[in-house]
Amino acid sequence: MAQQYPEWIWQNGQIKPWHEATTHVMSHALHYGSSVFEGIRSYATPDGAAIFRLTDHLKRLYQSAKIYDMVLPHTQDEIATACRDVIKKNGLGAAYLRPVAYRGLGGFGLSAETPIDVAVAAWPMGPYLGPEALESGIDACVSSWQRFAPNTIPAGAKAGGNYLSGQLIAREARRLGFGEGIALASTGLLSEGAGENLFLVFDGVLHTTPASASILTGITRHTLITLAREDGIEVIERDIPREFLYLADELLMCGTAAEITPIRSVDGKQVGAGKAGRVTRRMQELFFGLFNGKTNDQWGWLEPV
């Protein structure tokens, strides 16, 4: 089935038809991966469409740009308005948002000065790993590709070039018949999924890898940590050996696209009961409860469109 694109997109300060949002083939970002971006979801709530943690996502966008010496030509408030505008213009409620800033056409060297172009797109998107994944879980594998060492590329920046690593991990997993890949850090310890953070459950306690494991410290990850602790579930950030993936009572991936996806097996070894366990189900209830009104949004995470 061919991809269906939305009708409208925001680029460099204005809404325009999707097909007019072009950039030159010699743009810096195309050759060197010099872009930063965010993935954000809006949800249909009882009070209308709301963007989940828009402010936090855009704060991270600007932090990523700062790391790469990119000065965005628009304020954070202007980009927030653009996010709302593309949702409204395309007649969307629940949607996936993609703000992206990148080095455009200018000089040709690695350190060349170029304009910084900015675009915001929005389109409908269901569960990232498949419609059955949230319920039944997925089969994952540990990738032969490691995450980059912390003194090479900053994992804390959500930069386009970083996702070459994720592509290798995800495509290897699909080629081998798995739903997603899991990467080890350069230390040989557990890092994260191709584009998701990981949580393991032992005796009712959530364990997750730390920032030092070359992970992107995800906003959904932070959300789950906050919700769990508010609900009385202990959360521990710690170094985790690979074999603990096989020994965990429960295992789950999380991210804006993946939301909260159970993992039922790793490398052909069943995880726990081979399905989402009690803690995973509770985290799904608390997370999706933010959007159906069952979980009180005491943090102001839902920002109206």
Side-chain angles (χ1 to χ4, degrees), residues 62 129 152:
Y62 281 76
L129 296 173
T152 54

Side-chain angles (χ1 to χ4, degrees), residues 2-50:
Q3 176 70 47
Q4 297 296 307
Y5 299 112
E7 187 175 357
W8 303 97
I9 190 170
W10 184 97
Q11 185 185 37
N12 293 333
Q14 61 179 314
I15 296 278
K16 60 177 65 175
W18 179 274
H19 68 273
E20 292 183 7
T22 59
T23 190
H24 199 280
V25 294
M26 295 307 294
S27 291
H28 196 277
L30 184 61
H31 298 263
Y32 301 124
S34 47
S35 66
V36 295
F37 69 95
E38 281 296 317
I40 313 171
R41 278 192 189 262
S42 67
Y43 288 89
T45 78
D47 296 319

Side-chain angles (χ1 to χ4, degrees), residues 210-223:
S212 56
S214 293
I215 68 169
L216 178 72
T217 49
I219 289 171
T220 307
R221 173 183 180 274
H222 177 266
T223 300

Side-chain angles (χ1 to χ4, degrees), residues 73-137:
H74 304 278
T75 68
Q76 186 170 318
D77 286 344
E78 288 171 339
I79 302 301
T81 298
C83 289
R84 293 183 169 94
D85 286 348
V86 292
I87 289 175
K88 294 175 184 176
K89 185 71 173 177
N90 285 296
L92 301 172
Y96 183 87
L97 281 159
R98 172 55 55 83
V100 58
Y102 56 96
R103 295 191 184 277
L105 181 64
F108 297 119
L110 285 170
S111 62
E113 294 301 322
T114 72
I116 304 299
D117 293 326
V118 185
V120 180
W123 62 90
M125 185 173 76
Y128 174 65
L129 296 173
E132 72 290 337
L134 296 179
E135 179 65 28
S136 302

Side-chain angles (χ1 to χ4, degrees), residues 54-74:
L54 174 63
T55 299
D56 293 324
H57 276 286
L58 294 185
K59 180 180 178 181
R60 187 173 64 184
L61 177 71
Y62 281 76
Q63 290 173 335
S64 298
K66 181 178 182 180
I67 290 172
Y68 281 99
D69 295 325
M70 297 171 63
V71 179
L72 274 58
H74 304 278

Side-chain angles (χ1 to χ4, degrees), residues 217-282:
T217 49
I219 289 171
T220 307
R221 173 183 180 274
H222 177 266
T223 300
L224 294 198
I225 291 172
T226 303
L227 290 173
R229 288 174 174 164
E230 181 69 19
D231 199 52
I233 300 171
E234 185 179 1
V235 183
I236 299 173
E237 297 182 69
R238 54 172 292 201
D239 289 330
I240 301 175
R242 170 180 176 164
E243 64 268 23
F244 280 30
L245 291 169
Y246 313 138
L247 305 177
D249 301 323
E250 304 174 41
L251 182 58
L252 64 95
M253 286 179 161
C254 72
T256 294
E259 297 171 305
I260 303 173
T261 300
I263 300 174
R264 62 192 177 204
S265 73
V266 179
D267 295 337
K269 303 179 194 298
Q270 180 173 297
V271 175
K275 59 183 180 180
R278 178 182 60 84
V279 175
T280 301
R281 289 293 185 215
R282 181 56 180 160

